[in-house]
Amino acid sequence: MAQTSHPSPTEESSTQSDLKQVMGPGLLLLFIIGDILGTGVYALTGQVAGEVGGAAWLPFAIAFAVALITACSYLELVTKYPQAAGAALYVHKAFGKHALTFLVCFTVMCSGITSASAASRAFAANLTTGFGLDVGNGVILLIALAFMLLVLAVNLRGVGESVKANIVLTAVELSGLLLVIVISLYFIAGGNADFSRVVAFETAADKSVFLAVSTATSLAFFAMVGFEDSVNMAEETKEPSRIFPRIMLTGLGVTGLIYVLISICAVAVVPVGRLAESETPLTLVVQTAAPGFPMADLLPFISMFAVANSALINMLMASRLLYGMGKQGVLPSFLAKVNPTRRTPHAAIVFTTIIALGLITYVSLDPESPVVALLGGTTSLLLLAVFAAVNLSVLVLRKDQVATKHFNAGRVLPVIGAITSLYLVLPWSSGRPAGQYEIAGVLLAIGIVLWLITWYARRRENATQQG
């Protein structure tokens, strides 16, 4: 994930292409599927059902459609500019404003921290379920914090993200979801399911069906994010302009289909009320559908493995982005410090971990707070804002002609992508709880303060040199 650390891309950095091209179509597909699968569907299916009732499949389907539209914009840009740096590079090329580029990059970094924090809480919940521990909120919080410290230790030691490791991780994540589908279908085939729940809308008294669907979609979108990370692998992909469109759309299609099937099976097997109250909804589905099946006891551990992978990948990404901003002088230079032995950005790793620990603690203080839903919703909020910027960048960069053949998203899809992304960001249309905006605001405020401190220090340094 180190290739994502380009907070303020310059023409020089964006044209470097000295990375080894090792990823073909098959490995790229596994990378995309593995990056999308994870915490979202394992932990938030119940929360989505809690917003709309049995029709939980609808928000996942809408989230898939929104992701697909935005993916087309990403495809045009990654095939047009097949370099690492992702959204930060595209926004910088389109608008040329360093402050805006910084905000986009820092927002992506914050989304990684909130996603990893959500994963740590989901890890703790699955661990207590897997070992049959009847513990309170305080113990789950301590386990989540301990897990994040473990991620810190692994990150400080250095993690080689080999292709073989990604294949194994993806296989484990996928097997858990396929297990839920197969066992649920067996339960359904036996005539034990209640399919009337699948088309039943049950919304809160203060929400219309439309607003409830919007709220649930904002939450379900957390399960679809991850495809945007693949553009940072462009320099390590063979013939990216040719294979990226087909592979990214295939990866999105596979994960979208799995998510819709999971949501339909879940509400058909388990009553919505019980599903919404569980922090490990898919484990509850398997336990209900096959109480005597030994694999039901294994699913919490598969879920732990999946969310642990999500947490580690996101903290790697977040720390490398912060390191990059420190290295390029956008943030304080101490964040660019590298361990002389391990060659890891230890200052950035510790800084991002401190933020994650604070986040997990803050949102866990209220025992009634849906912690994973709050952090997952904040992640989708941050990324949807970035997606709106990427969709606008496509339209602006149409005037920039390149010699190579590239994907074209058309004129309509980027506009729809920008509008739908903003719709799911704004509070009066998305139905998001205020807590998501508070968390996002605090995180961005931290970034802006660091940026201002750096700007002021550099200004004084320049004034001293001129004097």
Side-chain angles (χ1 to χ4, degrees), residues 9 26 32 34 44 67 88 101 110 123 179 187 195 228 252 397 418 426 453:
I32 292 172
L44 295 180
T101 304
C110 290
F123 177 91
L179 171 67
F187 182 80
F195 262 104
E228 74 283 353
L252 273 169
L397 289 170
L426 299 174
I453 291 173

Side-chain angles (χ1 to χ4, degrees), residues 82-363:
Q83 299 117 20
L89 171 67
Y90 309 144
V91 171
H92 189 73
K93 280 183 173 291
F95 303 102
K97 303 292 185 182
H98 285 274
L100 179 60
T101 304
F102 161 75
L103 278 176
V104 169
C105 197
F106 200 83
T107 300
V108 173
M109 187 212 74
C110 290
S111 73
I113 294 176
T114 53
S115 179
S117 300
S120 70
R121 176 72 186 207
F123 177 91
N126 278 286
L127 186 145
T128 56
T129 301
F131 285 104
L133 304 176
D134 186 14
V135 296
N137 180 64
V139 175
I140 294 178
L141 169 60
L142 290 176
I143 294 173
L145 295 176
F147 169 72
M148 188 54 69
L149 290 175
L150 178 61
V151 172
L152 166 68
V154 173
N155 207 348
L156 284 173
R157 183 172 178 82
V159 180
E161 296 180 85
S162 69
V163 172
K164 290 183 179 179
N166 182 64
I167 292 173
V168 173
L169 296 175
T170 302
V172 172
E173 293 173 342
L174 191 56
S175 67
L177 297 176
L178 292 178
L179 171 67
V180 175
I181 293 173
V182 170
I183 291 178
S184 297
L185 290 177
Y186 180 80
F187 182 80
I188 292 168
N192 300 308
D194 184 359
F195 262 104
S196 64
R197 291 196 292 257
V198 176
V199 293
F201 280 97
E202 298 173 26
T203 62
D206 59 339
K207 285 185 180 180
S208 65
V209 171
F210 191 77
L211 183 59
V213 171
S214 297
T215 305
T217 302
S218 301
L219 192 55
F221 200 83
F222 177 51
M224 291 305 306
V225 299
F227 70 89
E228 74 283 353
D229 286 338
S230 65
V231 300
N232 295 301
M233 304 300 293
E235 291 185 44
E236 294 162 276
T237 302
K238 301 172 184 176
E239 300 181 88
S241 297
R242 184 178 67 84
I243 71 170
F244 248 98
R246 173 169 51 91
I247 298 305
M248 183 184 284
L249 295 177
T250 300
L252 273 169
V254 169
T255 52
L257 177 62
I258 290 174
Y259 286 169
V260 170
L261 286 174
I262 285 284
S263 55
I264 291 175
C265 290
V267 296
V269 172
V270 180
V272 173
R274 289 180 59 205
L275 204 62
E277 293 171 359
S278 176
E279 284 198 87
T280 57
L282 300 192
T283 300
L284 179 61
V285 170
V286 174
Q287 290 172 340
T288 304
F293 194 59
M295 287 294 284
D297 298 327
L298 183 60
L299 187 62
F301 299 101
I302 295 176
S303 302
M304 285 167 55
F305 198 84
V307 299
N309 182 39
S310 295
L312 183 57
I313 287 176
N314 279 284
M315 290 306 287
L316 279 166
M317 179 271 290
S319 61
R320 270 57 176 183
L321 282 171
L322 201 65
Y323 160 77
M325 285 185 274
K327 187 176 181 180
Q328 295 195 19
V330 182
L331 291 181
S333 58
F334 80 88
L335 293 170
K337 290 183 178 179
V338 176
N339 184 287
T341 304
R342 296 292 180 186
R343 307 305 300 167
T344 54
H346 63 279
I349 291 171
V350 171
F351 192 85
T352 51
T353 303
I354 290 172
I355 295 176
L357 293 172
L359 260 182
I360 297 166
T361 303
Y362 171 73
V363 298

Side-chain angles (χ1 to χ4, degrees), residues 407-422:
F407 184 86
N408 191 310
R411 295 189 177 275
V412 177
L413 286 182
V415 174
I416 296 175
I419 293 173
T420 52
S421 295
L422 288 174

